[in-house]
Amino acid sequence: MSIKFQIARIVIDVPIPKAFDYVMEEVKQADIGKRVIVPFGRHERMGVIVDCASQSDYPLAKLKPVLRVLDEEPVFTPDTLALLKFCSQYYQFPLGGTIFTALPARLRQLAPWADEAPYAWQLTPSGKDALGGLSGRAKAQIALRDAMSEPVTPQILNAISRQASSVIKKWAEAGWIESVPITRVPCDAQIGPKPYLTEEQARIVEAVDLSDPQASVLFGVTGSGKTEVYLRLVEKALAAGKQVLVLVPEINLTPQLLLRFKARFPHASLTSLHSEISDAERAREWMACRRGERSIVLGTRLSVFVPLPALGLILIDEEHDNAYKQQDGLRYSAKHVALMRGKLVGAPVLLGSATPSLESWFQTLSGKYRLHTLSQRAVASAVMPTIALVDTRRRYTEDGLSSELISAIQATLDRKEQSLLFINRRGYAPVIFCDACGWQAGCDRCSARLVLHRQQKRLVCHHCGWGQPAPLACPDCGNQDIKPIGVGTQRLEDSLEKYFPTARILRIDRDAMRHKGSWAAAQARIAAGEVDILVGTQMLAKGHDFPDLTLVGVVNADASLYAADFRASERLFAQLMQVSGRAGRAGKPGQVLVQTAFPEHPVFDALIRHDYAGYATSLLQERADCAFPPYTFQALLRAEAPRIEMAMQWLHQARQTALSTVPAHLAEVTCFDPVPALMARIDGKERAQLLFQSDSRAALQRFLSGWSYLLYELPSNGIHWSLEVDPIEV
DNA sequence: AGCACGCCGACT
DNA sequence: GTCGGCGTGCTC
């Protein structure tokens, strides 16, 4: 005998941290997770049922009815909903906002949505007869007929002719064409024999137990064969009838990984969820996953919420990457959510990296995560690159290039191999300076300097995008001798062209790769051996495989050596390790030259010895000494206003609310004073922040739960605020 | 977030 | 006298 509910608890996409009760005849447990239409204020909104009840705290007479139920089957499975509830609580973000963040945009729209399987049009035998004679002026029809000699999607037909849909309709009625479901065509990539596993790889594949929801770190240098371990684990999971979730930081490096997955599992239903697929396709794939019709999901951070009823394994590639952290709205860490999801559904989670985050490394030391190490490069002939420093205090460097680096590039050119020059600055020069009066080009809207982009002859702000023509003379004193100081990717490219006029140079940075497809084109050129020297920012450091690359030059990494951010040295070390790993992968020895004015800094010593573990341990010691994460847990309240005083004043109020309403919770939580943000001004908005810190994650959570909802009740005239749990930039 | 209600300045 | 500024309060 089931309980009769009459009240549906529904969340709506509004920034209000609560659910709303509605009357609904015969709501049942099975309705939880369905989308509905409800009257809200003076409008109708979409909501999601999160609970059912027989009573309400709200006056019964004032309850409104659910107008319509949109789904036959819930779009969220119970375990996904449980995960979203956890996120809402942990990140102190309204459940409605959390649920609607996870929902594909197309499923957020009211318009009815046909969850039709993808199909294609094809000529029938009678159609071939009837249309075979088409000739002359019916150009559009001829083109369509020719296209349909084999199955072709409506999208492509629409691109061929604007009349496509009416022609299709006519021909389909005449029986000349028929629609056929698109069967997943087996990938034509070479399947080939699986590579032999090294003993290390085999041991790890063996050690990951699908029935044990243990988190583990797969620590392996670049080229040590992490991907092969992933593939074997996926194979294991598929054989057990499980679904696999593979998270990647960005779509940038997905193509290579995606190809390897497709080639290895040509018959598995694999879906790749990234920012470039259409809304309709994302919604369709989401529902297919939800029905258990996809066995491998490869996607960026948002994919961590995709409903997968048979989820049995989660892989997180390049787990140290900050792209797993969403920096607006629901400020979640997909890595953290994935670990929680693994725990909830009893699936193991594997965090792969050559440079694990200190947080993860810490967990392996404390025994909470297992540590699996791949210590050797998988291709036996590939050895670790040799790393050397160039002391820029003693060597003359012109336009950023030391003579050592120049001759190393020359030698590499002579061997017809590729070089990569890494510099963490876009543009031509990061500072424009007047010798006469000391003026520097600064952004009006941000507390940042303007960067010179010389081709466009413009000064550009890298924080707000604001640009202006580069001045010919100092705007303050009229001095014509204003100097670009420092080196960016463009200036480096210019110098290289001077030194190596016949070399084929390719610059890879956000400016050069702005246009869609340019990154793919660049990768193709690199792979085809059409590039001698690569110049670029961290885009180049991430997980790419450049087989002919034997020299890596780090032009200037000094800016992050003594930065204010306590995570800067961790990031720099990871970046240097990653970019060094690009050198010498296919049996050719690699060489890395790092230019620095601080060669005695311990980070370089660790880098030269390829000693991640040692450096990580010393960084952890520093963190422990200073009581920084992962030895302490933080939450950061940010406020943004037209004037900094307003932001500061609002934060003071927020702080006061904490002190007066939940003093008990503050026994274990340190509440700091509001301070202006490091970047106090961005795009004309001024920002301040308030930090909370505790040695106990649970105590911090208790405090936040008792306090954060009060923030919604604070008068917030012109203030934009957000609360971030486990912030990565403090 | 939207959108109403509500009370003070310059305008057809 | 009104149109409209955005402060504040509410949405089951």
Side-chain angles (χ1 to χ4, degrees):
Chain A
M1 172 76 191
S2 63
I3 315 153
K4 286 269 190 257
F5 299 109
Q6 284 195 74
I7 289 161
R9 207 142 275 164
I10 287 165
V11 293
I12 294 157
D13 192 13
V14 288
I16 304 169
K18 61 187 286 200
F20 297 89
D21 290 350
Y22 287 87
V23 178
M24 181 169 151
E25 293 299 317
E26 290 181 53
V27 226
K28 25 187 206 318
Q29 232 32 70
D31 292 321
I32 292 175
K34 287 183 185 174
R35 296 170 305 149
V36 292
I37 302 296
V38 291
F40 187 73
R42 59 178 16 259
H43 287 282
E44 289 176 9
R45 297 288 298 260
M46 182 188 291
V48 172
I49 304 177
V50 291
D51 211 348
C52 38
S54 45
Q55 273 165 250
S56 174
D57 295 338
Y58 202 70
L60 241 66
K62 289 170 82 175
L63 290 185
K64 293 181 182 175
V66 170
L67 300 177
R68 198 145 60 87
V69 179
L70 294 173
D71 300 307
E72 304 244 315
E73 294 299 322
V75 285
F76 291 105
T77 53
D79 67 297
T80 325
L81 220 45
L83 183 72
L84 289 164
K85 283 181 181 169
F86 157 78
C87 276
S88 163
Q89 253 175 48
Y90 185 81
Y91 291 109
Q92 307 293 324
F93 200 74
L95 183 58
T98 306
I99 283 179
F100 278 87
T101 300
L103 198 63
R106 191 62 190 77
L107 296 177
R108 269 179 276 179
Q109 289 166 17
L110 283 187
W113 169 78
D115 183 16
E116 57 187 12
Y119 64 93
W121 290 106
Q122 186 179 21
L123 288 174
T124 60
S126 71
K128 279 179 186 155
D129 289 345
L131 297 168
L134 270 181
S135 64
R137 289 181 295 111
K139 276 197 295 189
Q141 294 195 27
I142 291 169
L144 292 169
R145 178 201 64 191
D146 292 346
M148 282 188 272
S149 60
E150 51 190 61
V152 57
T153 62
Q155 290 85 346
I156 293 175
L157 293 172
N158 281 324
I160 291 172
S161 163
R162 284 178 52 219
Q163 303 158 42
S165 49
S166 64
V167 173
I168 287 170
K169 194 169 169 226
K170 207 170 67 190
W171 290 359
E173 278 166 12
W176 293 342
I177 55 174
E178 62 190 350
S179 66
V180 291
I182 295 177
T183 47
R184 294 192 165 253
V185 191
C187 179
D188 52 0
Q190 288 292 315
I191 296 170
K194 284 185 268 186
Y196 284 107
L197 292 185
T198 63
E199 205 179 305
E200 277 181 331
Q201 286 174 320
R203 219 175 17 238
I204 296 167
V205 172
E206 183 69 27
V208 175
D209 178 358
L210 294 176
S211 59
D212 179 10
Q214 165 75 45
S216 38
V217 168
L218 175 58
F219 170 48
V221 296
T222 24
S224 62
K226 287 193 292 290
T227 308
E228 188 56 33
V229 173
Y230 298 158
L231 292 168
R232 297 298 179 111
L233 287 173
V234 170
E235 193 181 326
K236 211 161 115 173
L238 294 185
K242 300 288 193 181
Q243 292 173 303
V244 182
L245 176 63
V246 185
L247 296 180
V248 292
E250 283 160 81
I251 190 51
N252 257 352
L253 50 135
T254 319
Q256 289 182 3
L257 194 64
L258 184 63
L259 276 176
R260 286 189 68 179
F261 271 84
K262 274 188 177 161
R264 182 63 63 85
F265 308 107
H267 303 292
S269 49
L270 184 149
T271 188
S272 156
L273 298 173
H274 48 80
S275 53
E276 277 169 34
I277 66 170
S278 72
D279 282 359
E281 197 177 347
R282 180 182 285 274
R284 199 154 50 225
E285 290 300 312
W286 165 283
M287 292 307 284
C289 290
R290 150 81 186 75
R291 291 189 300 263
E293 293 167 8
R294 296 289 179 271
S295 47
I296 306 172
V297 178
L298 189 69
T300 48
R301 59 172 180 261
L302 201 52
S303 315
V304 77
F305 296 115
V306 171
L308 295 164
L311 180 61
L313 173 67
I314 304 177
L315 304 177
I316 305 178
D317 191 28
E318 307 292 349
E319 70 91 21
H320 60 276
D321 201 300
N322 281 344
Y324 286 119
K325 184 78 204 252
Q326 176 133 85
Q327 294 289 21
D328 54 70
L330 171 66
R331 293 172 171 253
Y332 67 102
S333 155
K335 187 167 47 169
H336 184 225
V337 176
L339 287 159
M340 183 48 67
R341 187 165 186 183
K343 218 183 256 178
L344 281 173
V345 304
V349 180
L350 188 71
L351 305 147
S353 178
T355 54
S357 64
L358 279 191
E359 272 81 357
S360 300
W361 190 252
F362 174 69
Q363 300 298 353
T364 65
L365 296 181
S366 74
K368 214 173 137 203
Y369 300 172
R370 287 186 70 174
L371 175 65
H372 302 299
T373 306
L374 287 169
S375 54
Q376 270 116 43
R377 287 194 158 185
V379 178
S381 56
V383 289
M384 300 299 283
T386 57
I387 300 175
L389 303 180
V390 179
D391 187 342
T392 52
R393 289 172 305 188
R394 299 167 58 194
R395 301 279 190 280
Y396 176 63
T397 74
E398 187 176 342
D399 292 352
L401 289 169
S402 62
S403 54
E404 281 92 337
L405 191 47
I406 290 167
S407 38
I409 296 169
Q410 185 60 57
T412 310
L413 283 173
D414 294 343
R415 291 196 307 271
K416 306 218 177 319
E417 292 168 358
Q418 287 173 340
S419 306
L420 183 161
L421 295 195
F422 175 75
I423 180 161
N424 230 343
R425 274 197 186 117
R426 293 187 288 131
Y428 185 83
V431 183
I432 308 302
F433 179 75
C434 169
D435 260 347
C437 72
W439 168 87
Q440 289 184 11
C443 179
D444 289 343
R445 311 176 179 197
C446 306
S447 29
R449 287 191 287 237
L450 294 173
V451 177
L452 176 63
H453 285 237
R454 213 164 69 164
Q455 285 101 325
Q456 300 94 314
K457 296 189 171 59
R458 287 176 80 75
L459 293 176
V460 179
C461 175
H462 284 182
H463 292 272
C464 70
W466 174 254
Q468 61 183 81
L472 299 169
C474 173
D476 278 7
C477 72
N479 170 25
Q480 304 222 317
D481 190 26
I482 48 176
K483 286 185 182 149
I485 313 271
V487 182
T489 45
Q490 293 174 11
R491 189 174 201 170
L492 192 57
E493 187 186 16
D494 282 6
S495 328
L496 287 164
E497 277 166 4
K498 249 184 306 174
Y499 286 110
F500 310 105
T502 59
R504 296 161 299 175
I505 298 169
L506 180 63
R507 177 163 57 86
I508 309 268
D509 57 22
R510 193 137 50 88
D511 302 307
M513 299 297 119
R514 178 155 299 160
H515 298 289
K516 214 176 162 179
S518 48
W519 175 242
Q523 280 181 304
R525 280 187 62 194
I526 299 166
E530 290 168 19
V531 180
D532 300 315
I533 305 175
L534 285 159
V535 182
T537 54
Q538 48 206 331
M539 283 185 87
L540 277 176
K542 294 187 176 179
H544 307 291
D545 199 347
F546 304 131
D548 284 323
L549 188 72
T550 54
L551 174 68
V552 167
V554 177
V555 175
N556 182 358
D558 291 349
S560 352
L561 280 179
Y562 298 97
D565 180 356
F566 70 85
R567 273 179 243 259
S569 44
E570 175 188 357
R571 270 200 297 268
L572 173 67
F573 184 58
Q575 216 162 54
L576 291 175
M577 289 279 283
Q578 296 280 343
V579 77
S580 302
R582 304 302 120 218
R585 296 197 72 178
K588 296 175 190 166
Q591 182 193 3
V592 180
L593 284 180
V594 182
Q595 299 188 152
T596 176
F598 304 95
E600 70 289 346
H601 194 284
V603 72
F604 297 120
D605 183 47
L607 183 70
I608 288 169
R609 291 187 290 110
H610 306 281
D611 184 15
Y612 169 82
Y615 194 60
T617 306
S618 72
L619 283 180
L620 278 174
Q621 189 56 54
E622 272 178 43
R623 299 273 183 99
D625 293 344
C626 304
F628 282 143
Y631 297 91
T632 188
F633 300 90
Q634 300 180 322
L636 191 69
L637 181 63
R638 301 170 200 272
E640 191 180 277
R643 301 198 36 73
I644 191 85
E645 299 78 39
M646 294 166 69
M648 290 287 282
Q649 199 231 326
W650 188 86
L651 289 175
H652 272 116
Q653 281 183 59
R655 186 176 189 277
Q656 200 47 53
T657 309
L659 297 178
S660 53
T661 50
V662 286
H665 288 137
L666 284 172
E668 288 183 82
V669 176
T670 311
C671 172
F672 288 86
D673 286 321
V675 289
L678 224 56
M679 264 282 157
R681 190 175 151 88
I682 291 183
D683 207 1
K685 279 165 266 182
E686 308 204 316
R687 300 131 25 100
Q689 59 194 36
L690 172 58
L691 181 68
F692 295 87
Q693 191 169 297
S694 175
D695 291 343
S696 152
R697 178 172 256 161
L700 183 63
Q701 280 290 318
R702 279 195 299 276
F703 158 66
L704 293 173
S705 301
W707 168 69
S708 75
Y709 71 95
L710 296 166
L711 295 170
Y712 291 88
E713 286 156 26
L714 248 41
S716 59
N717 324 321
I719 307 271
H720 274 256
W721 62 269
S722 65
L723 181 58
E724 181 165 1
V725 179
D726 305 332
I728 52 172
E729 275 166 57
V730 181

